């Protein structure tokens, strides 16, 4: 097989990222994390698109530089088509189309959620098929049965908030900056799981996190009435308890799915898969249950163009190219 270089671009939310693959080897991965949203307690879509617009060219140039190649070496350009924020996706898609048209090479559209799962194929060991993947990010919470690189079925999903959103909203109540997930994770390591919050009862393989959010809110309100410094005095224990509750909900559903589908190869993906509590619990279960557990490297958990590039590699092999009238799909399914 010859050498093919693919440039991949990710701009679905608040990270502007570009990667370069030489066949299935990653040779560059550059991400600009937008900081403008921190003070607003969440991603501001309008500001996100403007930042992508400013940063996309420098990020792509940096990726080509890191890969030590010239743009004329590229065989294809891949880009996230969705799901994500429309304005943000438009920047990546328009940029990718223009560059591919100028270089006269094909364009490959990638589903962001599928890419989170295929991040497991950037570095060995690779999971073997079929495996179940718990995909937990700021916008999604799914259990996916992965039959092959490009053949996946969603068997469970959240009926309200995503797991990352639960971390972020709980963190906001505690006064932590956005995104609160990594802050809760860090503080939880210095605290104890001492507070009890409501756990949802949802049928099948679906999830729900909105009840937990309400339960935390009411609990904090009640305690603050008696002691205005309640959060300050108990921050680490609150973080530990919130994290443990979310992790317990996720692990329980994954265990049920594993038993029902009789699949013991299990993976996690998406931003929340960086959570140390979730990684630890999964590891524990692999020791007690004979599970083969796959946890992605930190740098490939949160949004990055590496995961877009590896997905594009598998599509490139099948010549799954897109037409130039392809448009972003904010609610893209797979
Ligand atoms: O996959 P991702 O980067 O973007 C989306 O596609 O949404 O996920 C971002 C989410 C945020 O909600 C963030 O708080 C959460 O992942 N996250 C974490 C951790 N690192 C990122 N949540 C818990 N613990 C972490 N260490
Ligand atoms: Zn993501």
């Amino acid at each position: 097989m010859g050498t093919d270089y693919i440039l991949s671009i990710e701009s679905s939310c608040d990270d502007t990222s570009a990667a370069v693959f030489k066949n299935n080897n990653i040779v560059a991965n550059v991400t600009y994390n937008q900081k403008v949203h921190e003070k607003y307690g969440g991603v501001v879509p309008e500001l996100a698109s403007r930042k992508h617009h400013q940063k996309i060219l420098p990020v792509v140039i940096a990726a080509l530089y890191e890969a030590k190649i010239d743009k004329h070496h590229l065989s294809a350009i891949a880009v996230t088509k969705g799901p994500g924020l429309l304005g943000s996706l438009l920047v990546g898609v328009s940029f990718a189309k223009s560059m591919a048209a100028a270089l006269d090479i094909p364009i490959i559209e990638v589903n962001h959620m599928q890419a989170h799962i295929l991040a497991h194929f950037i570095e060995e060991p690779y999971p073997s098929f079929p495996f179940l993947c718990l995909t937990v990010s700021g916008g999604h919470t799914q259990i996916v049965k992965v039959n092959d690189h490009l053949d996946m079925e969603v068997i469970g999903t959240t009926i309200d908030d995503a797991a990352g959103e639960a971390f972020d909203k709980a963190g906001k109540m505690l006064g932590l900056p956005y995104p609160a997930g990594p802050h809760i994770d860090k503080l939880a390591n210095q605290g104890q799981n001492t507070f009890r919050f409501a756990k949802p009862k949802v049928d099948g393989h679906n999830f729900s996190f909105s009840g937990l959010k309400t339960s935390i809110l009411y609990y904090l309100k009640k305690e603050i009435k008696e002691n205005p410094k309640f959060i300050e005095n108990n921050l680490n224990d609150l973080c530990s308890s919130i994290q443990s509750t979310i992790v317990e909900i996720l692990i329980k559903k994954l265990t049920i799915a594993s038993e029902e589908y009789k699949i013991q190869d299990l993976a996690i993906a998406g931003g929340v898969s960086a959570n140390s509590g979730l990684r630890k619990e999964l590891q524990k279960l692999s020791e007690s249950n004979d599970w083969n557990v796959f946890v992605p490297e930190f740098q490939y958990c949160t949004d990055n163009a590496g995961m877009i590039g590896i997905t594009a590699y598998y599509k490139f092999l099948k010549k799954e190219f897109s037409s130039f009238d392809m448009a972003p799909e904010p609610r893209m399914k797979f």
Side-chain angles (χ1 to χ4, degrees), residues 21-187:
F21 274 73
K22 181 181 181 181
N23 297 329
N24 59 339
N25 296 306
I26 190 162
V27 289
N29 192 20
V30 177
T31 302
Y32 170 79
N33 303 112
Q34 301 180 358
K35 299 281 177 233
V36 285
H37 312 286
E38 264 174 25
K39 58 177 176 287
Y40 299 101
V43 176
V44 184
E46 182 66 27
L47 295 180
S49 6
R50 288 186 205 185
K51 259 299 170 234
H52 284 305
H53 188 68
Q54 278 184 312
K55 295 294 175 186
I56 193 150
L57 185 57
V59 165
V60 165
I61 290 173
L64 291 172
Y65 180 81
E66 197 176 299
K68 299 190 180 66
I69 59 160
D70 181 85
K71 58 180 181 290
H72 296 287
H73 292 124
L74 295 170
S75 300
I77 298 185
V79 66
T80 306
K81 182 186 185 185
L85 301 168
L86 179 60
S88 292
L89 291 165
L90 270 170
V91 176
V93 170
S94 306
F95 186 95
K97 277 191 195 181
S98 317
M99 192 166 170
L103 294 170
D104 199 16
I105 54 176
I107 185 158
I108 301 173
E109 64 185 54
V110 172
N111 180 308
H112 181 91
M113 298 312 293
Q114 203 166 28
H116 266 302
I117 296 170
L118 293 183
H120 281 281
F121 295 87
I122 299 177
E123 309 249 343
E124 290 185 86
Y126 306 144
S128 50
F129 301 113
F131 66 93
L132 291 180
C133 188
L134 172 70
T135 313
V136 270
S137 73
H140 295 84
T141 302
Q142 298 175 329
I143 298 181
V144 181
K145 181 167 173 268
V146 187
N147 302 317
D148 200 355
H149 296 109
L150 301 175
D151 175 11
M152 309 181 181
E153 327 160 34
V154 178
I155 62 168
T157 187
T158 179
I159 57 170
D160 41 55
D161 292 349
E165 217 174 339
F167 271 105
D168 296 338
K169 287 182 175 168
K172 196 171 179 179
M173 294 180 217
L174 300 177
L176 298 173
Y178 177 86
H183 297 280
I184 293 185
D185 190 354
K186 210 161 138 206
L187 298 171

Side-chain angles (χ1 to χ4, degrees), residues 183-200:
H183 297 280
I184 293 185
D185 190 354
K186 210 161 138 206
L187 298 171
N189 283 325
Q190 299 152 42
Q192 298 294 325
N193 176 14
T194 46
F195 301 107
R196 294 285 161 263
F197 302 113
K199 285 189 209 95

Side-chain angles (χ1 to χ4, degrees), residues 277-294:
L278 179 60
R279 293 163 91 98
K280 238 180 263 161
E281 278 311 308
L282 209 62
Q283 218 58 52
K284 261 198 234 160
L285 273 172
S286 80
E287 282 151 25
S288 58
N289 280 22
D290 270 352
W291 284 1
N292 297 316
V293 167
F294 298 86

Side-chain angles (χ1 to χ4, degrees), residues 180-244:
H183 297 280
I184 293 185
D185 190 354
K186 210 161 138 206
L187 298 171
N189 283 325
Q190 299 152 42
Q192 298 294 325
N193 176 14
T194 46
F195 301 107
R196 294 285 161 263
F197 302 113
K199 285 189 209 95
K201 288 188 183 66
V202 189
D203 289 340
H205 302 298
N206 289 338
F207 300 87
S208 165
F209 288 99
S210 70
L212 171 64
K213 180 181 65 189
T214 315
S215 157
I216 297 168
L217 180 68
Y218 286 146
Y219 187 76
L220 291 177
K221 271 192 177 164
K222 179 171 75 78
E223 294 296 328
I224 289 168
K225 235 186 216 167
E226 286 165 30
N227 170 13
K229 289 195 157 181
F230 178 75
I231 292 180
E232 213 178 302
N233 295 345
N234 297 282
L235 187 59
N236 296 347
D237 291 346
L238 282 166
C239 287
S240 170
S241 310
I242 290 165
Q243 177 167 302
S244 302

